[in-house]
Amino acid sequence: VLFLSFLPFSHKIINTIRNFKSNHKNLFLLVWFLVPLLLFSFSKTQLPHYISAGFLPFIVLMSYPKKPGVFSVFIQILILLMLFLIAPIVVKNVPISDNFVKNMLSNTHQIFNNVYFLVISVFIFLLIIAFIYFKENLYVSILIYCATTTLFIYKFSQLQQGFVKSSGLKLNRKNESLYMVDHYNPSLSFYAQKVFSIKEKVNSGDKVFSKNQNLKSDSILQKGNGYAVWIRK
C-alpha cells in the first residue's frame, strides 16, 4: 500500500530510507511516519487509507534529494497505464472462488468499454511523446498520470458501487425502506439518506438488500455488481 500510494515516486522510498540522516527534526518526522504505519499494520481492521496519517512527514523526508528521477517516474506511470489497459481484459480469465467478487466483476466488459480502452491508449501515446519531447519537465507526465488514474478509479467505482448508488437513490426518492442481512453497506445509507436495520432472520414480505449469493431468482427484484434487492416469500 505504501509503494502504491507514492506512485509515481515510489522509487524515492528506498532512497529516502537509505540516505536518512539522523537529527532531531528527521527523527521526529520518522516517528510521526512509523507510528500510524506500524499501528495499523498490526490492527485487525486494515483499510488502505489508514496509514495516510503518516504520509506528510515522509513526503518531507522524500523531498530532501532534489532530483526526482525522470526516467523512473516515466517507467512507473507507463507500467500503471499498461495495467489500466490490460487488467479489465485479463480479469475474466482469472480464477475467482469468491462468488460475490465474481458477480461484481461480471459487468466488467460493460463498464470498461471500447471508449475507455481508446482513451487509455491515447494517454499512453501522449505519455511516450511527453517523455521524448519534455524529458526534463514532469508536469505533462504527472497530468497524464492524474487524468488516467482518475478515469480508472471512476470506472472501477461504477463497477463496485454502481448498483448500490442507484438502489440508494431509488429508496430516497420513493421513501422506501428495507433490511440488510449479511452485512452493513454504509454507501446505501448515504445515497438513501436513511439508516437501515440489520436482520439475522427476515420474515415473509420483508424487502432485503444483500449480497447476491444463493438467492432464488423469483424473489429478486433487482441485482447488479454482486448485490441484490429481494423480497422474502
Side-chain angles (χ1 to χ4, degrees), residues 154-213:
Y154 170 70
K155 286 291 186 179
F156 187 78
S157 67
Q158 285 185 312
L159 183 66
Q160 188 181 39
Q161 293 286 317
F163 179 77
V164 178
K165 179 181 179 180
S166 62
S167 299
L169 293 175
K170 286 179 182 178
L171 291 167
N172 180 271
R173 288 193 299 268
K174 296 181 179 180
N175 196 28
E176 292 181 345
S177 189
L178 45 69
Y179 298 103
M180 298 185 188
V181 292
D182 51 15
H183 75 300
Y184 180 74
N185 193 306
S187 298
L188 184 71
S189 296
F190 171 79
Y191 290 113
Q193 290 296 294
K194 60 184 70 175
V195 178
F196 300 109
S197 300
I198 301 176
K199 266 192 172 184
E200 292 185 6
K201 184 179 180 181
V202 292
N203 301 318
S204 178
D206 285 344
K207 194 173 184 180
V208 181
F209 179 91
S210 70
K211 293 180 180 179
N212 180 23
Q213 298 177 12

Side-chain angles (χ1 to χ4, degrees), residues 46-64:
Q46 295 180 339
L47 294 179
H49 64 278
Y50 283 179
I51 62 172
S52 61
F55 285 177
L56 176 60
F58 199 75
I59 290 171
V60 175
L61 290 171
M62 286 175 64
S63 68
Y64 291 154

Side-chain angles (χ1 to χ4, degrees), residues 84-85 88 112-120 151-152 155:
F84 289 162
L85 185 69
F112 293 88
N113 51 24
N114 292 334
V115 175
Y116 167 83
F117 291 115
L118 176 62
V119 172
I120 297 294
L151 175 61
F152 179 81
K155 286 291 186 179

Side-chain angles (χ1 to χ4, degrees), residues 76-96:
Q76 289 177 76
I77 297 176
L78 181 61
I79 291 174
L80 191 65
L81 265 59
M82 292 300 296
L83 286 175
F84 289 162
L85 185 69
I86 297 171
I89 300 173
V90 302
V91 69
K92 60 184 178 182
N93 298 319
V94 176
I96 300 172

